[in-house]
Amino acid sequence: MMEPSLELAHVTKRFGDFTAVDDLSMTVPKGCIYGFLGPNGSGKTTTMRMIMSIFYQDEGTIRILGHDRAEEVKDRLGYLPEEKGLYKKMKVGEIVAYFGMLKGLDKREAWTRARDLLQRYGLGEWIDKRCESLSKGMGQKVQLLGTLIHDPELVILDEPFSGLDPINMETMRNTIRDLGREGRTVLFSTHVMAQAEELCDYITLIYKGKVRLSGTLSEVRSGGGRGAIRLDYEGDGSILAGHPSIERLNDAGKTAEIILKEDADPQDFLADICGKLRIRRFDLRDPSLHEIYVRTIGAEEGREVSHV
Amino acid sequence: MSRTWLVARREVVENVRTKTFWIGILSFPVILALSILIPTWLQSRIDVRPFGVEDRSGWLLKELKASWSLPDLPKLAAALRGEEDAPPLPASGLPACLREGGRLKAALRALDGDRLQAFLGSLPLLAGLSSDEFSEGLGKGAAGAALGGFPLPESLKREARAFHREVLELRTWWKGLPKEEAEPFRGPDGFGRYRLEAEAPEKELKEMLARGELFAYFVINEDPVEGSKGAEYFSKNLTDTKLREWMTRQVSRIVRARRVAKLRLTPEKAEWLNRPFRFASRTLDASGKESKVEKSDVVLKWAPMVFVYLLWISVFILAQMLLTNTIEEKSNRIIEVLLSSVSPRQLMTGKIFGIAITGLMMVGSWALFFILGVEILPLLFPEASRIISEFELARILAEPIYLLSFFGYFLAGYLLFASLLAGIGSVCNSLKEAQNLQQPVMILLLVPLFAMMPVASDPNGTLARVLSFIPPFTPFVMMNRAGGPPETWEYLATGVLLALTVFLTFRGAAKVFRVGILMTGKPPRIREILRWLGAPTGSIPKRGD
C-alpha cells in the first residue's frame, strides 16, 4: 500500500493541566478528502497546528508526506487557518503572489499563477485593489487562493466553510472536490456534518481530544446502528415529540430524522402518523452523520442532545 | 535566508507606503530648517520689546541713546585693521573719518590692546554730545570726563573739536547704513531687540504698561553715579529678565565711566581695574602635545550629543514601529498563515531586518537633508549662515569615529531594543496591553537620555564609564562619549558585551515570540515570560495563576 499522506500515532498535547489532544491516531490516505469532525473546542485546531508544526506535540509521532516535521515539507503543504487575516494595506495580487513566494515560487511564476487564480475565481478586477477594500467573502477567497497557489500535495483547511454565504460555500465545496479529483489530499475540519457528508471519503470524529469514530463515510454510517427514518411532512409536528414509538427525534419543522425504539415497527409508525400529518416523504436508511454525531457526543455528555 | 528576506522586503514595502514613514522622513528637514530659520527670524522680529524710561538724572538716557547710535566698535576696529575673523567692511563705503587721513582711522591703527579698548569705550560718550555741548564742556563736564578731565591747551582743544566732529560723522554714517550691511557690526548690546518707546513721567508710563503698549519701563534715579537707590524696573512679565539685565549692563557701563572720571583715573587704569581674570583654555592633542582650544574643538566635543539624539530618536521610532506591526499582524490573525510557510524565527528576523532597512533609509535621508541643508540654506537665507557655520559640518564629517560609531551603535541599539519590543509585541493583543508591558523597556531607554548632559561634559568620568558597561545603555553612552574619546579597550570590551547581549536577547525574544505570537487572551506576566525562555521550543508552558 502507498504511504499515507499523513499519519498521526498516539499524539498528545497538553496546555498546562488541560489535555487538548489525547492519544489521537489517524491516517489520511493519499488522494482522499478527509473530514475532521468535532464540536467547537474538541481539539481540531490544535491537532492541525501540530500537523503544521506550529505547535509541537508532547507525545506521539506525526508523519507527513514521509517526513517527521511539517517544516521539512512546508512547500508541499497548503494551510488555511480558521482565523483568516490579510495585510490590509497590501494589494490583492501582491498578497497572493507573496504567499506563493513564501512557498518557494519565484517571483514571475508566483505572479503568473496569482493572476490566473484571481481570474478564475472572479477576482480579476481586484488584483490592484487593497485588501481592506474586499468584502469578507472575497477576503476569504483570496486567503484560499494564497493557500493553493503553489499546488500543494496536501491541503489542510481549518473550518473552511465558517462564515461563508451560500455562493461562496458552493465555491469552496467545488474547490475541495476538484482538489480531490486532481489527486491531492485534503484534510478539512468542520462541525457541520452535512458538509462532511457531501464531500468526504473518510472521517474522524473527535471529542474532548479523543477519537470517537473513524473510518470511511459508509463504514461510519453503517456502523451507526439502527436505521433512521427521514420524514418530510406538513402539519403540526408536535405529535411526533411525545410519540411512544420514537426513541430520538431530530425535528427541523418540515423535516425530521427519527430513530424508533428497538421494538417499534416502522410500518406501524407510518400508519399511525399518516392521518395526523401530511407526509411527503418517508425514507428508512442509514443514520445521517448528523445523527451519528449527536448520538456519539450526546452519549458522551450523558444527556440528550437534540440540536447542535 | 531567502524567506527571511521575503518577509523583510514585504515589511520595507509596507512601511514605505505608510504616511508615518514619509512624515518621519520629511519632518526632519522641516525641523532642521525651522531650527535654523526660526532663531534667525526671532532675532530680527519677534523679540522686540518696547520699553519706557523716566530719566530723573537728566543725562543718563541721553548718553545711553548716544551709545546705541554707534556700531560695535571693537568689531569695526578689527575689520579696519583687516584682522582675520572680522566681518567684511560695508560695501557701500566708509565715511571720511575712517578713510586714510581720518583721525579716527589713525587712532584705531595706532592703539592696541587695553589702550584701544579704553579709547573705544569713550567714543559713545562723545557721540552723545552736540558740537556746542562739546566745545562748552571741554575741560569740564561730560566731555572732560571722557578725556580724563585734564585741562587742555587751545591747540589741542581745536584738535579735540575736530576729532569730536569725526565721531558725530561716524554716528551719522552708521545711522544711514543699509540694514544688511550694518548687521555684522551690530553690537551685542545693540538696539535691535529692544525699542525705546517712550520717554515720559512714570505716571504716564504706568498707564502705557497697563494698556500693554510697553513690555516694561525703567525709572532712573536722580544721581545714578552715586548709587542705585530709587532706580526701578516695572514689568508685568517677571520671567523674562533679559531686558532688565541688558539695561543694567548698559547703565553700569556709563555709570562706571562717570565714576572713573570722578576719581580722576586714566581710562587705562579704569580698564585695568575692570578687567576680569581669565584662564586660557588649552588641551592635549592626540600626540600629547599642548594645543590651543578653538571654538570648533568645543563644537566637536558636543557634536556627539546630536548623534545621540538622532540615535535615540531613530531607535525609539523604529522599535515602536516594530511593536505596532507585530501587534497588528497578530490581531489580523495573518500570523498563522505566515507560520505555515516560515519559521517564527525567520518571521521575527525578517521583520526586524525589514524595519532596520526602513530605518536606515530614514536616517540616511536625514543625513542627506542635513548636508543639503547646510549647503543650500545659506544661499537662500543669508541670515541663516551665521547659525549654520556653528555646525562645523566638515570637521564633524572628517572624524570617522563619529559616523562609524553612529551606524555601528545604531544597528546594535536597534537590534537590542527591537528584539525586546518584538518579544513584547508578540504576547500582546492590543497596543494598550503593550503599553503596560513596554514600560520597563522605556525606562531603560530614558536613562541614557537623562545621562546625556553629565556624560557629555565628562566623557571619561566614572558615570560615563560605568554606564558604558551596561549593555542597554552602551550604544547611547559610547556614542555620547565619542568626543572623549574612550580608550580602545573600552570600545572592545563594551562592544563584546553588547554583541553578546544582542545575541542573547535576540534568541530569547525569538523564543518568546514563538510562544506568544499565537496566544490570545490576557497577556502573560513577566514572570511567565521568563519561564518561557527556559522551556523547550514549541511547547506551551503552563500558565501561572
Side-chain angles (χ1 to χ4, degrees), chain B residues 281-286 291-308 390-392 395-397 399 401-402 452-460 476-486 491:
Chain B
S281 211
R282 301 265 192 281
T283 186
L284 291 180
D285 61 18
S291 70
K292 215 172 141 188
V293 174
E294 286 170 25
K295 202 174 117 210
S296 60
D297 289 320
V298 179
V299 170
L300 216 52
K301 296 279 174 203
W302 289 98
M305 282 183 58
V306 178
F307 283 105
V308 176
E390 283 168 17
F391 281 126
E392 300 276 348
R395 292 241 10 216
I396 292 169
L397 292 182
E399 298 280 332
I401 195 163
Y402 287 175
M452 190 149 80
M453 285 302 291
V455 168
S457 53
D458 191 4
N460 288 320
F476 306 101
V477 177
M478 286 300 277
M479 184 73 240
N480 209 345
R481 294 176 62 192
Y491 272 114

Side-chain angles (χ1 to χ4, degrees), chain B residues 365-445:
Chain B
S365 79
W366 292 351
L368 204 68
F369 277 125
F370 183 73
I371 293 169
L372 284 179
V374 170
E375 295 292 322
I376 287 173
L377 273 181
L379 301 179
L380 299 177
F381 305 94
E383 312 96 81
S385 58
R386 198 157 38 110
I387 293 173
I388 285 172
S389 68
E390 283 168 17
F391 281 126
E392 300 276 348
L393 178 67
R395 292 241 10 216
I396 292 169
L397 292 182
E399 298 280 332
I401 195 163
Y402 287 175
L403 282 182
L404 282 180
S405 310
F406 181 76
F407 282 101
Y409 286 127
F410 167 75
L411 273 184
Y414 165 74
L415 280 180
L416 184 61
F417 283 96
S419 315
L420 282 175
L421 288 189
I424 289 175
S426 71
V427 301
C428 297
N429 298 307
S430 68
L431 267 182
K432 211 176 150 203
E433 285 172 8
Q435 263 151 14
N436 290 329
L437 265 178
Q438 67 165 327
Q439 266 166 11
V441 180
M442 289 299 118
I443 291 169
L444 273 187
L445 260 175

Side-chain angles (χ1 to χ4, degrees), chain A residues 47-114:
Chain A
T47 306
M48 290 185 149
R49 285 179 175 176
M50 281 192 286
I51 294 169
M52 290 310 296
S53 289
I54 291 171
F55 292 160
Y56 293 151
Q57 69 270 28
D58 297 328
E59 285 160 35
T61 54
I62 296 176
R63 292 281 293 171
I64 182 163
L65 298 177
H67 290 257
D68 286 332
R69 283 277 163 85
E71 283 146 313
E72 294 157 20
V73 287
K74 270 184 174 170
D75 296 353
R76 294 157 65 194
L77 305 177
Y79 174 53
L80 181 71
E82 180 177 6
E83 296 190 69
K84 302 159 186 80
L86 294 168
Y87 288 111
K88 287 189 211 122
K89 300 285 172 197
M90 258 177 127
K91 288 177 187 162
V92 171
E94 276 174 348
I95 199 161
V96 175
Y98 176 62
F99 284 141
M101 285 189 272
L102 281 181
K103 290 292 191 184
L105 298 181
D106 67 42
K107 196 176 172 183
R108 181 188 309 219
E109 179 69 16
W111 270 101
T112 314
R113 290 194 190 190

Side-chain angles (χ1 to χ4, degrees), chain B residues 255-270:
Chain B
V255 165
R256 203 179 300 128
R258 287 288 179 122
R259 288 176 184 167
V260 164
K262 210 171 177 183
L263 291 173
R264 300 196 155 251
L265 294 172
T266 61
E268 287 91 341
K269 277 184 185 163

Side-chain angles (χ1 to χ4, degrees), chain B residues 520-543:
Chain B
T520 51
K522 180 171 86 70
R525 266 172 266 170
I526 291 179
R527 202 152 35 92
E528 287 177 68
I529 296 177
L530 290 180
R531 213 167 36 206
W532 295 353
L533 295 178
T537 316
S539 70
I540 303 260
K542 183 180 168 180
R543 301 200 62 170

Side-chain angles (χ1 to χ4, degrees), chain B residues 184-435:
Chain B
F185 295 101
R186 197 188 289 290
D189 291 336
F191 205 22
R193 304 180 51 196
Y194 309 112
R195 190 174 70 237
L196 178 59
E197 185 79 18
E199 296 168 50
E202 195 189 344
K203 198 163 155 277
E204 225 168 285
L205 294 175
K206 196 172 271 169
E207 280 164 19
M208 290 178 78
L209 185 68
R211 285 198 300 271
E213 291 165 15
L214 294 180
F215 175 76
Y217 69 84
F218 297 90
V219 174
I220 297 170
N221 55 344
E222 281 83 5
D223 191 356
V225 175
E226 187 53 41
S228 47
K229 189 156 184 267
E232 282 167 336
Y233 167 76
F234 289 85
S235 178
K236 287 199 274 194
N237 179 335
L238 296 177
T239 49
D240 186 352
T241 58
K242 288 213 178 81
L243 171 62
R244 199 189 68 207
E245 285 157 13
W246 172 80
M247 188 71 163
T248 307
R249 272 200 307 279
Q250 310 277 310
V251 174
S252 300
R253 201 189 61 225
I254 290 170
V255 165
R256 203 179 300 128
R258 287 288 179 122
R259 288 176 184 167
V260 164
K262 210 171 177 183
L263 291 173
R264 300 196 155 251
L265 294 172
T266 61
E268 287 91 341
K269 277 184 185 163
E271 215 286 321
W272 182 62
L273 197 62
N274 280 329
R275 196 183 319 148
F277 187 82
R278 276 202 190 94
F279 289 100
S281 211
R282 301 265 192 281
T283 186
L284 291 180
D285 61 18
S287 58
K289 266 202 336 230
E290 190 182 299
S291 70
K292 215 172 141 188
V293 174
E294 286 170 25
K295 202 174 117 210
S296 60
D297 289 320
V298 179
V299 170
L300 216 52
K301 296 279 174 203
W302 289 98
M305 282 183 58
V306 178
F307 283 105
V308 176
Y309 261 122
L310 277 183
L311 191 64
W312 195 88
I313 290 174
S314 41
V315 167
F316 183 81
I317 293 183
L318 293 175
Q320 285 294 321
M321 209 185 242
L322 183 75
L323 181 76
T324 322
N325 278 20
T326 308
I327 292 174
E328 201 191 334
E329 212 156 86
K330 196 182 162 185
S331 59
N332 254 351
R333 307 308 303 167
I334 196 163
I335 210 85
E336 217 176 324
V337 188
L338 295 179
L339 289 184
S340 70
S341 306
V342 297
S343 72
R345 182 176 297 204
Q346 282 174 325
L347 180 62
M348 187 178 105
T349 315
K351 289 179 78 63
I352 287 182
F353 278 98
I355 291 190
I357 294 168
T358 317
L360 283 174
M361 284 163 74
M362 207 145 87
V363 175
S365 79
W366 292 351
L368 204 68
F369 277 125
F370 183 73
I371 293 169
L372 284 179
V374 170
E375 295 292 322
I376 287 173
L377 273 181
L379 301 179
L380 299 177
F381 305 94
E383 312 96 81
S385 58
R386 198 157 38 110
I387 293 173
I388 285 172
S389 68
E390 283 168 17
F391 281 126
E392 300 276 348
L393 178 67
R395 292 241 10 216
I396 292 169
L397 292 182
E399 298 280 332
I401 195 163
Y402 287 175
L403 282 182
L404 282 180
S405 310
F406 181 76
F407 282 101
Y409 286 127
F410 167 75
L411 273 184
Y414 165 74
L415 280 180
L416 184 61
F417 283 96
S419 315
L420 282 175
L421 288 189
I424 289 175
S426 71
V427 301
C428 297
N429 298 307
S430 68
L431 267 182
K432 211 176 150 203
E433 285 172 8
Q435 263 151 14

